[in-house]
Amino acid sequence: MQLGFYIPAAIAIISSILVITRSNAVHALLYLIVSLFSVAVIFFTLGSPFAAALEIIIYAGAIMVLFIFAVMLLNLGQEAQAEEKRLLNFKIWIGPGILSLILLIQLFAILTPGFSGFSGFSGQVISPKEVGISLFHKYLLGVELSGMLLMSGIVGAYYLGEKKKRSRHRFFQGESS
Amino acid sequence: MLNLLWLVPVLPFFSFLILALFGKKFPIKASAVLGAGSIGLSALLTLIIGIGFISNPPENFRFVQTFWTWFNVAGLNPSISFYLDPLSIVFIFVITFVGFLIHLYSIEFMYEEEGFSRFFAYMNLFVGSMLTLVLADNLLLLYLGWEGVGLCSFLLIGFWYKDPANGAAAQKAFIVTRIGDTAMAIGLFLLVANLGTLNINEILTKAPAVWPQSSGMATAAALLLLGGALGKSAQLPLQTWLPDAMAGPSPVSALIHAATMVTAGVYLIARTNALFILAPQVQMLIAIIGAATLLVAGFSALAQHDIKRVLAYSTISQIGYMFLALGVGAFSAAIFHFMIHAFFKALLFLAAGAVILSLHHEHNIFKMGGIKNKMPLIYWTFLIGSASLASLPLITAGFYSKDMILWFAWSSPKGSAWLWAAGLFGAFITAIYTFRLIFITFFGTQKTEIGHTPGKLIKVPLVILAVLSLIGGFIELPGTLGNLPLFSGFVEKVLPSAPVHGENILQEGIFQAIAAITALLGFYIAYLLYLRRTPSEGKNLLQKFFYSGWGFDWLYERIFVRPIIFLAKINKNDFIDLIYTGIAAGIGLFHGLLIKTQTGKLRWYAMGIAAGAVITLTIIVFL
Amino acid sequence: MNQVTLETSLALAGILFTTGLIGVMVRRNIIFMLMSIEIMLNASGLAFVAAGSKWMQADGQVMFIFILTMAAAEVSVGLALILKIYARFKTLDADQLNKMKG
């Protein structure tokens, strides 16, 4: 029946949980990519192929790869991993776990049918063409704004990532720019 | 003639003003002339007024000179007016005359002191206030003078202010008399509330009409006025300030604490006699207090080392005699003793001051001795004064006055044998301590060298007062010795006469003989104890007890002073302030708590957001 | 398909969201916190798309595009910052970066 939904759903949940419990950063990132893939499959099931494609291309393909590059640049090494393992004891999970559980229960409670009266779904597909039309008609302003946002992101990332070659007295050599 | 009455108190006030404002710039001689001269003028005026009054008495033996109405509120309108009658004439005579002699003496005594004009300014203010007190027509003006003399007493006791001990003694005097003053003020309020007036004559006529005999209100008013008198006159239980007041210069002790201010209480009671007659229990209380005080002070004087403290306790004791007389209804006897006491006590203090000055400010009698032949005039005047104090029979004025009191203590319907016995025993003790003082100070081996020899300005007042101490008594000869009641005849125009049991001359004669023998016996015992053997300071327990004035200071320290200081200390940070500091501290606490939430840790903030989301959702959706 | 109701999708989104939230609160390493934030963003995107699909409108996917854009910008700037932090403090522990406390 809705295996197309429930299996990716399960995979998404499991891999998300695995993301937050790994001690190795690259492993966690790879699990995150798995989670993103499964969510893309769910998008397909929901009849939104464009969103699914975007998810894979941009989210998993660009953003996560960027993440992996940055982690590799950091060159964390074995001792960082050991440190992570050490810091991740059981006690830490209790507080956040309880809080989030309560939140989840509340969310579920909101979603029960008696509450707001949602019901079924039609299975129709929303094609990319419709998305495009909507994007450049109704939400044109939003597109422009996100353009500007990306611009600022680029500028910021460029500036912050720059390695300035400044002359410092050898006394201050310990600090990096 | 009588219209010059207003000048008598105003001259000293005027001189006070000039000395206070410009005294620093005057040369010493000018301050002296102004200071002593104003009192001298007042004395002269008093003499003239007195002669005019006696030879040509005004109607009813009263004369009132009104200036203006002080205020007029709700029917109460005291006025600034001076009231002359035989009682006030006696007082102003003593005040101005003895005051003048003391001022002359002070010119030489205080000659080298800095603050010379300040001294005379205070003394003149004092004389002015005292004259206002006795000349006042109403109790409010009397209270003004009362407070004025209290102020001057404070200023003069602490005259050498650079030594903090003097300041402490002045404070003690002021505070203890304040207690009495407060009682007196409440008494005045009572009188105003019930009788509607503070005019003395009106009170004396209204009170018997408004209050029945021994009514509660009369007793209360009389008791409160008595409280004021006890404070000013240093009687039990407010007598602790007078021995310490000897920290002031000797002329101050002579004028204020022997002759005038301490007798203000006697004056008050004599003036408002009708009130006390209305409240016989209070009058009995006066007699008992007088008797008890004279004994307590007498014993204390036996053990003192300081020459002035002996005389101070002696003053307390003699005023006890005056109170005893007032208590048994012998008002004229009390006033007579007041006058004679003023003479010989002022003489004793001035002579003691001369001794102290000559021996380089040495006060301890055990460090004196053997100066009898070196300072003959002072010795003889001191001896005459002491003889009068001890009431040596027949030749001294003190004999007549004290004997009159003792006789009335026995014979008056309000008197009793116990009171008479107390007075007699007191006379015995008086003789002992007086001659103890003479023998230790003037006889024996000399221990301190003589420095300054006294000049004319010291010697002349001493001589005059000595003469008065001898002959002053002859204006009131009792029935057994000539029956010349000049003084009491004069004074009893305005004071109730003392009722006497029976005019039994023989009985009176016997009692006089007993009194005379007692005085001589005291002299003999003193001779045995202090002249035959060498006196020592003596430190056994009984002597220590008497030395400390029967431990009153110790008692008051523990009962009153320490608790009040304790309360003041725990309230040092005003407990009302605690409310404000408490609020501030509470806010500070809250701030501390809030700071803890700013940990700077990202995860903590994320937790905060999550918790906030949970709470908000709960409230919005589920509640 | 009919039984894949909106509620189910939203429930899934909720679960993913809370998982990300737990990750942010628990992990001390900044990189992992960023990752968890990505999970949360993804979950909210899922919610949007599901809602759009229910109402047969393209708006859900449009919102999803915007979220994606924003995530991209945020990740690039964030990673640049992380590189800077590592260079300066030599540690990626978020708890060490608490100079703003008090």
Side-chain angles (χ1 to χ4, degrees), chain B residues 2-29:
Chain B
L2 291 180
N3 287 322
L4 295 173
L5 180 61
W6 67 279
L7 276 176
V8 173
V10 165
L11 277 174
F13 276 131
F14 181 64
S15 136
F16 154 72
L17 267 176
I18 298 189
L19 280 173
L21 291 172
F22 307 115
K24 271 225 172 96
K25 306 188 185 119
F26 285 174
I28 289 194
K29 287 225 170 68

PDB file of all heavy atoms in Angstrom, chain B residues 2-29:
ATOM      1  N   LEU B   2       9.836 101.016  92.699  1.00  0.00           N
ATOM      2  CA  LEU B   2       9.636  99.610  92.369  1.00  0.00           C
ATOM      3  C   LEU B   2       9.602  99.401  90.868  1.00  0.00           C
ATOM      4  O   LEU B   2       9.821  98.303  90.384  1.00  0.00           O
ATOM      5  CB  LEU B   2       8.320  99.093  92.974  1.00  0.00           C
ATOM      6  CG  LEU B   2       8.324  98.994  94.487  1.00  0.00           C
ATOM      7  CD1 LEU B   2       6.988  98.489  94.980  1.00  0.00           C
ATOM      8  CD2 LEU B   2       9.414  98.067  94.955  1.00  0.00           C
ATOM      9  N   ASN B   3       9.349 100.478  90.129  1.00  0.00           N
ATOM     10  CA  ASN B   3       9.302 100.327  88.678  1.00  0.00           C
ATOM     11  C   ASN B   3      10.657 100.034  88.077  1.00  0.00           C
ATOM     12  O   ASN B   3      10.748  99.732  86.899  1.00  0.00           O
ATOM     13  CB  ASN B   3       8.742 101.603  88.034  1.00  0.00           C
ATOM     14  CG  ASN B   3       7.261 101.701  88.294  1.00  0.00           C
ATOM     15  OD1 ASN B   3       6.574 100.709  88.280  1.00  0.00           O
ATOM     16  ND2 ASN B   3       6.801 102.905  88.561  1.00  0.00           N
ATOM     17  N   LEU B   4      11.692 100.162  88.880  1.00  0.00           N
ATOM     18  CA  LEU B   4      13.014  99.798  88.363  1.00  0.00           C
ATOM     19  C   LEU B   4      13.243  98.303  88.389  1.00  0.00           C
ATOM     20  O   LEU B   4      14.319  97.833  88.068  1.00  0.00           O
ATOM     21  CB  LEU B   4      14.100 100.474  89.206  1.00  0.00           C
ATOM     22  CG  LEU B   4      14.105 101.999  89.125  1.00  0.00           C
ATOM     23  CD1 LEU B   4      15.103 102.544  90.135  1.00  0.00           C
ATOM     24  CD2 LEU B   4      14.488 102.434  87.727  1.00  0.00           C
ATOM     25  N   LEU B   5      12.213  97.571  88.789  1.00  0.00           N
ATOM     26  CA  LEU B   5      12.362  96.123  88.940  1.00  0.00           C
ATOM     27  C   LEU B   5      12.857  95.465  87.650  1.00  0.00           C
ATOM     28  O   LEU B   5      13.686  94.558  87.696  1.00  0.00           O
ATOM     29  CB  LEU B   5      11.005  95.514  89.333  1.00  0.00           C
ATOM     30  CG  LEU B   5      10.995  94.002  89.530  1.00  0.00           C
ATOM     31  CD1 LEU B   5      11.937  93.618  90.639  1.00  0.00           C
ATOM     32  CD2 LEU B   5       9.603  93.533  89.852  1.00  0.00           C
ATOM     33  N   TRP B   6      12.364  95.947  86.526  1.00  0.00           N
ATOM     34  CA  TRP B   6      12.712  95.275  85.278  1.00  0.00           C
ATOM     35  C   TRP B   6      14.197  95.339  84.980  1.00  0.00           C
ATOM     36  O   TRP B   6      14.743  94.482  84.304  1.00  0.00           O
ATOM     37  CB  TRP B   6      11.911  95.888  84.128  1.00  0.00           C
ATOM     38  CG  TRP B   6      12.286  97.300  83.816  1.00  0.00           C
ATOM     39  CD1 TRP B   6      11.865  98.411  84.467  1.00  0.00           C
ATOM     40  CD2 TRP B   6      13.171  97.740  82.812  1.00  0.00           C
ATOM     41  NE1 TRP B   6      12.427  99.528  83.926  1.00  0.00           N
ATOM     42  CE2 TRP B   6      13.232  99.148  82.891  1.00  0.00           C
ATOM     43  CE3 TRP B   6      13.919  97.103  81.832  1.00  0.00           C
ATOM     44  CZ2 TRP B   6      14.011  99.910  82.037  1.00  0.00           C
ATOM     45  CZ3 TRP B   6      14.702  97.869  80.980  1.00  0.00           C
ATOM     46  CH2 TRP B   6      14.733  99.270  81.093  1.00  0.00           C
ATOM     47  N   LEU B   7      14.864  96.365  85.507  1.00  0.00           N
ATOM     48  CA  LEU B   7      16.292  96.472  85.224  1.00  0.00           C
ATOM     49  C   LEU B   7      17.086  95.334  85.860  1.00  0.00           C
ATOM     50  O   LEU B   7      18.145  94.969  85.370  1.00  0.00           O
ATOM     51  CB  LEU B   7      16.836  97.798  85.754  1.00  0.00           C
ATOM     52  CG  LEU B   7      16.660  99.000  84.830  1.00  0.00           C
ATOM     53  CD1 LEU B   7      17.160 100.242  85.528  1.00  0.00           C
ATOM     54  CD2 LEU B   7      17.442  98.772  83.546  1.00  0.00           C
ATOM     55  N   VAL B   8      16.558  94.825  86.951  1.00  0.00           N
ATOM     56  CA  VAL B   8      17.336  93.838  87.706  1.00  0.00           C
ATOM     57  C   VAL B   8      17.677  92.604  86.866  1.00  0.00           C
ATOM     58  O   VAL B   8      18.834  92.221  86.796  1.00  0.00           O
ATOM     59  CB  VAL B   8      16.599  93.455  89.010  1.00  0.00           C
ATOM     60  CG1 VAL B   8      17.309  92.329  89.705  1.00  0.00           C
ATOM     61  CG2 VAL B   8      16.511  94.648  89.919  1.00  0.00           C
ATOM     62  N   PRO B   9      16.716  91.962  86.182  1.00  0.00           N
ATOM     63  CA  PRO B   9      17.147  90.870  85.308  1.00  0.00           C
ATOM     64  C   PRO B   9      17.677  91.342  83.966  1.00  0.00           C
ATOM     65  O   PRO B   9      18.496  90.678  83.349  1.00  0.00           O
ATOM     66  CB  PRO B   9      15.873  90.029  85.123  1.00  0.00           C
ATOM     67  CG  PRO B   9      14.763  90.959  85.380  1.00  0.00           C
ATOM     68  CD  PRO B   9      15.239  91.992  86.313  1.00  0.00           C
ATOM     69  N   VAL B  10      17.222  92.505  83.494  1.00  0.00           N
ATOM     70  CA  VAL B  10      17.605  92.902  82.138  1.00  0.00           C
ATOM     71  C   VAL B  10      19.069  93.307  82.062  1.00  0.00           C
ATOM     72  O   VAL B  10      19.736  93.047  81.071  1.00  0.00           O
ATOM     73  CB  VAL B  10      16.687  94.055  81.660  1.00  0.00           C
ATOM     74  CG1 VAL B  10      17.256  94.732  80.457  1.00  0.00           C
ATOM     75  CG2 VAL B  10      15.325  93.491  81.327  1.00  0.00           C
ATOM     76  N   LEU B  11      19.601  93.931  83.121  1.00  0.00           N
ATOM     77  CA  LEU B  11      21.010  94.331  83.077  1.00  0.00           C
ATOM     78  C   LEU B  11      21.942  93.145  82.825  1.00  0.00           C
ATOM     79  O   LEU B  11      22.812  93.233  81.953  1.00  0.00           O
ATOM     80  CB  LEU B  11      21.396  95.041  84.379  1.00  0.00           C
ATOM     81  CG  LEU B  11      21.035  96.529  84.440  1.00  0.00           C
ATOM     82  CD1 LEU B  11      21.342  97.066  85.817  1.00  0.00           C
ATOM     83  CD2 LEU B  11      21.823  97.299  83.399  1.00  0.00           C
ATOM     84  N   PRO B  12      21.804  92.048  83.552  1.00  0.00           N
ATOM     85  CA  PRO B  12      22.671  90.915  83.242  1.00  0.00           C
ATOM     86  C   PRO B  12      22.475  90.393  81.824  1.00  0.00           C
ATOM     87  O   PRO B  12      23.431  90.026  81.148  1.00  0.00           O
ATOM     88  CB  PRO B  12      22.273  89.859  84.273  1.00  0.00           C
ATOM     89  CG  PRO B  12      21.686  90.606  85.387  1.00  0.00           C
ATOM     90  CD  PRO B  12      21.037  91.796  84.796  1.00  0.00           C
ATOM     91  N   PHE B  13      21.226  90.376  81.326  1.00  0.00           N
ATOM     92  CA  PHE B  13      21.003  89.902  79.963  1.00  0.00           C
ATOM     93  C   PHE B  13      21.705  90.801  78.960  1.00  0.00           C
ATOM     94  O   PHE B  13      22.326  90.343  78.006  1.00  0.00           O
ATOM     95  CB  PHE B  13      19.500  89.888  79.639  1.00  0.00           C
ATOM     96  CG  PHE B  13      18.791  88.644  80.104  1.00  0.00           C
ATOM     97  CD1 PHE B  13      17.614  88.731  80.819  1.00  0.00           C
ATOM     98  CD2 PHE B  13      19.300  87.387  79.830  1.00  0.00           C
ATOM     99  CE1 PHE B  13      16.957  87.599  81.251  1.00  0.00           C
ATOM    100  CE2 PHE B  13      18.655  86.248  80.266  1.00  0.00           C
ATOM    101  CZ  PHE B  13      17.487  86.363  80.982  1.00  0.00           C
ATOM    102  N   PHE B  14      21.597  92.076  79.198  1.00  0.00           N
ATOM    103  CA  PHE B  14      22.211  93.047  78.290  1.00  0.00           C
ATOM    104  C   PHE B  14      23.724  92.850  78.265  1.00  0.00           C
ATOM    105  O   PHE B  14      24.351  92.800  77.198  1.00  0.00           O
ATOM    106  CB  PHE B  14      21.829  94.448  78.785  1.00  0.00           C
ATOM    107  CG  PHE B  14      22.365  95.537  77.922  1.00  0.00           C
ATOM    108  CD1 PHE B  14      21.961  95.671  76.611  1.00  0.00           C
ATOM    109  CD2 PHE B  14      23.283  96.439  78.422  1.00  0.00           C
ATOM    110  CE1 PHE B  14      22.449  96.681  75.826  1.00  0.00           C
ATOM    111  CE2 PHE B  14      23.776  97.456  77.634  1.00  0.00           C
ATOM    112  CZ  PHE B  14      23.366  97.578  76.331  1.00  0.00           C
ATOM    113  N   SER B  15      24.289  92.722  79.457  1.00  0.00           N
ATOM    114  CA  SER B  15      25.732  92.530  79.516  1.00  0.00           C
ATOM    115  C   SER B  15      26.127  91.213  78.859  1.00  0.00           C
ATOM    116  O   SER B  15      27.159  91.100  78.207  1.00  0.00           O
ATOM    117  CB  SER B  15      26.171  92.595  80.980  1.00  0.00           C
ATOM    118  OG  SER B  15      27.075  91.590  81.257  1.00  0.00           O
ATOM    119  N   PHE B  16      25.278  90.193  79.011  1.00  0.00           N
ATOM    120  CA  PHE B  16      25.565  88.916  78.335  1.00  0.00           C
ATOM    121  C   PHE B  16      25.636  89.113  76.833  1.00  0.00           C
ATOM    122  O   PHE B  16      26.539  88.618  76.162  1.00  0.00           O
ATOM    123  CB  PHE B  16      24.482  87.883  78.678  1.00  0.00           C
ATOM    124  CG  PHE B  16      24.306  86.814  77.631  1.00  0.00           C
ATOM    125  CD1 PHE B  16      25.268  85.829  77.459  1.00  0.00           C
ATOM    126  CD2 PHE B  16      23.204  86.800  76.800  1.00  0.00           C
ATOM    127  CE1 PHE B  16      25.123  84.848  76.502  1.00  0.00           C
ATOM    128  CE2 PHE B  16      23.059  85.816  75.843  1.00  0.00           C
ATOM    129  CZ  PHE B  16      24.015  84.855  75.685  1.00  0.00           C
ATOM    130  N   LEU B  17      24.658  89.857  76.298  1.00  0.00           N
ATOM    131  CA  LEU B  17      24.633  90.060  74.843  1.00  0.00           C
ATOM    132  C   LEU B  17      25.909  90.722  74.362  1.00  0.00           C
ATOM    133  O   LEU B  17      26.535  90.300  73.397  1.00  0.00           O
ATOM    134  CB  LEU B  17      23.446  90.940  74.470  1.00  0.00           C
ATOM    135  CG  LEU B  17      22.166  90.186  74.101  1.00  0.00           C
ATOM    136  CD1 LEU B  17      21.055  91.166  73.852  1.00  0.00           C
ATOM    137  CD2 LEU B  17      22.417  89.330  72.874  1.00  0.00           C
ATOM    138  N   ILE B  18      26.293  91.790  75.071  1.00  0.00           N
ATOM    139  CA  ILE B  18      27.481  92.515  74.622  1.00  0.00           C
ATOM    140  C   ILE B  18      28.713  91.630  74.722  1.00  0.00           C
ATOM    141  O   ILE B  18      29.535  91.551  73.814  1.00  0.00           O
ATOM    142  CB  ILE B  18      27.662  93.800  75.447  1.00  0.00           C
ATOM    143  CG1 ILE B  18      26.466  94.706  75.226  1.00  0.00           C
ATOM    144  CG2 ILE B  18      28.946  94.487  75.045  1.00  0.00           C
ATOM    145  CD1 ILE B  18      26.634  96.053  75.812  1.00  0.00           C
ATOM    146  N   LEU B  19      28.832  90.922  75.840  1.00  0.00           N
ATOM    147  CA  LEU B  19      30.011  90.071  76.005  1.00  0.00           C
ATOM    148  C   LEU B  19      30.018  88.936  75.003  1.00  0.00           C
ATOM    149  O   LEU B  19      31.052  88.547  74.485  1.00  0.00           O
ATOM    150  CB  LEU B  19      30.046  89.512  77.427  1.00  0.00           C
ATOM    151  CG  LEU B  19      30.569  90.480  78.478  1.00  0.00           C
ATOM    152  CD1 LEU B  19      30.400  89.881  79.854  1.00  0.00           C
ATOM    153  CD2 LEU B  19      32.027  90.786  78.226  1.00  0.00           C
ATOM    154  N   ALA B  20      28.839  88.404  74.708  1.00  0.00           N
ATOM    155  CA  ALA B  20      28.795  87.277  73.768  1.00  0.00           C
ATOM    156  C   ALA B  20      29.162  87.729  72.371  1.00  0.00           C
ATOM    157  O   ALA B  20      29.851  87.021  71.646  1.00  0.00           O
ATOM    158  CB  ALA B  20      27.412  86.648  73.788  1.00  0.00           C
ATOM    159  N   LEU B  21      28.677  88.919  71.992  1.00  0.00           N
ATOM    160  CA  LEU B  21      28.916  89.353  70.627  1.00  0.00           C
ATOM    161  C   LEU B  21      30.303  89.945  70.459  1.00  0.00           C
ATOM    162  O   LEU B  21      30.974  89.681  69.470  1.00  0.00           O
ATOM    163  CB  LEU B  21      27.870  90.397  70.225  1.00  0.00           C
ATOM    164  CG  LEU B  21      26.447  89.848  70.073  1.00  0.00           C
ATOM    165  CD1 LEU B  21      25.472  90.977  69.862  1.00  0.00           C
ATOM    166  CD2 LEU B  21      26.396  88.876  68.907  1.00  0.00           C
ATOM    167  N   PHE B  22      30.729  90.760  71.418  1.00  0.00           N
ATOM    168  CA  PHE B  22      31.972  91.503  71.201  1.00  0.00           C
ATOM    169  C   PHE B  22      33.055  91.156  72.195  1.00  0.00           C
ATOM    170  O   PHE B  22      34.121  91.750  72.170  1.00  0.00           O
ATOM    171  CB  PHE B  22      31.704  93.011  71.307  1.00  0.00           C
ATOM    172  CG  PHE B  22      30.593  93.449  70.404  1.00  0.00           C
ATOM    173  CD1 PHE B  22      29.415  93.947  70.939  1.00  0.00           C
ATOM    174  CD2 PHE B  22      30.712  93.341  69.040  1.00  0.00           C
ATOM    175  CE1 PHE B  22      28.382  94.340  70.117  1.00  0.00           C
ATOM    176  CE2 PHE B  22      29.682  93.729  68.214  1.00  0.00           C
ATOM    177  CZ  PHE B  22      28.521  94.233  68.752  1.00  0.00           C
ATOM    178  N   GLY B  23      32.773  90.189  73.071  1.00  0.00           N
ATOM    179  CA  GLY B  23      33.689  89.967  74.189  1.00  0.00           C
ATOM    180  C   GLY B  23      35.110  89.662  73.769  1.00  0.00           C
ATOM    181  O   GLY B  23      36.052  90.076  74.408  1.00  0.00           O
ATOM    182  N   LYS B  24      35.238  88.938  72.629  1.00  0.00           N
ATOM    183  CA  LYS B  24      36.587  88.547  72.222  1.00  0.00           C
ATOM    184  C   LYS B  24      37.465  89.753  71.956  1.00  0.00           C
ATOM    185  O   LYS B  24      38.670  89.694  72.101  1.00  0.00           O
ATOM    186  CB  LYS B  24      36.485  87.708  70.946  1.00  0.00           C
ATOM    187  CG  LYS B  24      36.313  86.239  71.208  1.00  0.00           C
ATOM    188  CD  LYS B  24      37.225  85.433  70.312  1.00  0.00           C
ATOM    189  CE  LYS B  24      37.188  83.971  70.720  1.00  0.00           C
ATOM    190  NZ  LYS B  24      36.245  83.213  69.897  1.00  0.00           N
ATOM    191  N   LYS B  25      36.818  90.843  71.537  1.00  0.00           N
ATOM    192  CA  LYS B  25      37.635  91.981  71.143  1.00  0.00           C
ATOM    193  C   LYS B  25      37.929  92.915  72.307  1.00  0.00           C
ATOM    194  O   LYS B  25      38.737  93.825  72.180  1.00  0.00           O
ATOM    195  CB  LYS B  25      36.910  92.762  70.046  1.00  0.00           C
ATOM    196  CG  LYS B  25      36.527  91.865  68.890  1.00  0.00           C
ATOM    197  CD  LYS B  25      35.990  92.638  67.717  1.00  0.00           C
ATOM    198  CE  LYS B  25      35.511  91.655  66.670  1.00  0.00           C
ATOM    199  NZ  LYS B  25      34.088  91.796  66.396  1.00  0.00           N
ATOM    200  N   PHE B  26      37.221  92.715  73.426  1.00  0.00           N
ATOM    201  CA  PHE B  26      37.448  93.610  74.564  1.00  0.00           C
ATOM    202  C   PHE B  26      38.746  93.251  75.253  1.00  0.00           C
ATOM    203  O   PHE B  26      39.103  92.075  75.331  1.00  0.00           O
ATOM    204  CB  PHE B  26      36.317  93.468  75.586  1.00  0.00           C
ATOM    205  CG  PHE B  26      35.025  94.117  75.164  1.00  0.00           C
ATOM    206  CD1 PHE B  26      33.895  93.965  75.929  1.00  0.00           C
ATOM    207  CD2 PHE B  26      34.940  94.869  74.015  1.00  0.00           C
ATOM    208  CE1 PHE B  26      32.699  94.552  75.564  1.00  0.00           C
ATOM    209  CE2 PHE B  26      33.752  95.459  73.630  1.00  0.00           C
ATOM    210  CZ  PHE B  26      32.621  95.300  74.419  1.00  0.00           C
ATOM    211  N   PRO B  27      39.401  94.237  75.847  1.00  0.00           N
ATOM    212  CA  PRO B  27      40.497  93.888  76.763  1.00  0.00           C
ATOM    213  C   PRO B  27      39.915  93.273  78.022  1.00  0.00           C
ATOM    214  O   PRO B  27      38.740  93.447  78.331  1.00  0.00           O
ATOM    215  CB  PRO B  27      41.159  95.236  77.056  1.00  0.00           C
ATOM    216  CG  PRO B  27      40.129  96.248  76.713  1.00  0.00           C
ATOM    217  CD  PRO B  27      39.268  95.672  75.653  1.00  0.00           C
ATOM    218  N   ILE B  28      40.779  92.546  78.748  1.00  0.00           N
ATOM    219  CA  ILE B  28      40.282  91.780  79.891  1.00  0.00           C
ATOM    220  C   ILE B  28      39.603  92.675  80.912  1.00  0.00           C
ATOM    221  O   ILE B  28      38.533  92.366  81.434  1.00  0.00           O
ATOM    222  CB  ILE B  28      41.446  91.002  80.546  1.00  0.00           C
ATOM    223  CG1 ILE B  28      41.872  89.875  79.627  1.00  0.00           C
ATOM    224  CG2 ILE B  28      41.022  90.452  81.881  1.00  0.00           C
ATOM    225  CD1 ILE B  28      42.761  88.866  80.276  1.00  0.00           C
ATOM    226  N   LYS B  29      40.201  93.826  81.155  1.00  0.00           N
ATOM    227  CA  LYS B  29      39.636  94.694  82.190  1.00  0.00           C
ATOM    228  C   LYS B  29      38.225  95.121  81.814  1.00  0.00           C
ATOM    229  O   LYS B  29      37.340  95.228  82.667  1.00  0.00           O
ATOM    230  CB  LYS B  29      40.532  95.924  82.373  1.00  0.00           C
ATOM    231  CG  LYS B  29      41.829  95.628  83.084  1.00  0.00           C
ATOM    232  CD  LYS B  29      42.111  96.689  84.132  1.00  0.00           C
ATOM    233  CE  LYS B  29      43.268  96.274  85.012  1.00  0.00           C
ATOM    234  NZ  LYS B  29      44.549  96.248  84.323  1.00  0.00           N
TER     235      LYS B  29
END
